[in-house]
Amino acid sequence: MNRPPSPTARRLYAAAVFVLAASLMLAGAGEFVLFGLGDELIAQVRLALGIGAVATAGAVAMYRRRAIAALLLLLGAAMLVLAPRLVERHRELIRAWALGQAAQYRAHLLGQSERLPCANGDIAVIEVETRDGRENRNLVVVPRNPSARPDFLAQSNPPAGGARPSLRSVEGYIASHGDCGSVRYPSLLDAVRVLQQDYDRLHPDIEPRVRRP
């Protein structure tokens, strides 16, 4: 014949349930804050943390029914483990999307008609686009390494407040990486000078005295 648990055992069991529940609640709150700060509190993560919180609260409410309380505590713990995995899965999807976008943009740049091969194996291109109803041309270096980001050197029609294309940044690039050129543009400096002419034509209100080389 099974003896009923002693008062001391019941108190210890109740204390264990409340301590475990409090620990799970604190851990869930920590994950909620952490993922919220990282802007990663996606719907699936909120759902998992919500289920975990409800299950943990249910374990406290049902602590006298040991089997149910244990199952609810296990469910709460499982949701805490699941939430970071959902976040990591979300990160992987974002990384895959970013890589796909980068590959598409690289192909777009390399498809431009004005290409200036570089001494180090990179390829400089003049990307043509339309901004504010006016043509804008970007001088961009596409690295030989597909995983490296394109290097924007100058643009003929920068956004409001943008500066006139400068030779100085290009001179710095040439000093570090070598020059690029084609029959039409023997040097990156020649390409920038053409973009400067475009800028002056598109911004006739800028006084010549404030235009830097």
Side-chain angles (χ1 to χ4, degrees), residues 131-132 134-136 155-165 195-208 210-211:
R131 175 180 294 143
D132 300 329
R134 296 186 296 184
E135 183 180 278
N136 174 57
Q155 56 183 193
S156 62
N157 184 29
R164 182 175 186 260
L195 266 59
Q196 286 178 334
Q197 294 173 5
D198 288 347
Y199 179 91
D200 295 341
R201 175 176 53 81
L202 294 169
H203 301 82
D205 53 316
I206 305 297
E207 292 293 334
V210 301
R211 294 174 180 164

Side-chain angles (χ1 to χ4, degrees), residues 33-163:
V33 172
L34 178 64
F35 298 142
L37 291 175
D39 198 24
E40 296 171 318
L41 206 58
I42 57 176
Q44 297 94 322
V45 174
R46 292 198 303 269
L47 178 61
L49 293 178
I51 292 174
V54 171
T56 304
V60 174
M62 302 290 291
Y63 80 97
R64 294 181 184 277
R65 309 182 76 170
R66 297 189 178 188
I68 295 177
L71 287 174
L72 290 173
L73 286 174
L74 285 174
L75 178 59
M79 292 299 103
L80 289 181
V81 173
L82 177 62
R85 295 184 178 179
L86 291 172
V87 170
E88 183 56 35
R89 174 59 178 164
H90 178 63
R91 291 172 182 168
E92 290 175 359
L93 291 174
I94 290 177
R95 284 194 291 267
W97 177 85
L99 288 173
Q101 292 293 107
Q104 288 182 18
Y105 187 55
R106 179 182 174 88
H108 161 74
L109 289 174
L110 293 177
Q112 299 298 306
S113 58
E114 295 289 356
R115 297 159 56 97
L116 293 72
C118 305
N120 64 352
D122 297 343
I123 298 178
V125 302
I126 297 181
E127 178 193 20
V128 180
E129 61 178 6
T130 301
R131 175 180 294 143
D132 300 329
R134 296 186 296 184
E135 183 180 278
N136 174 57
R137 294 199 283 178
N138 298 315
L139 178 60
V140 190
V141 175
V142 183
R144 177 178 53 184
N145 181 1
S147 63
R149 292 183 177 181
D151 193 354
F152 285 76
L153 300 182
Q155 56 183 193
S156 62
N157 184 29

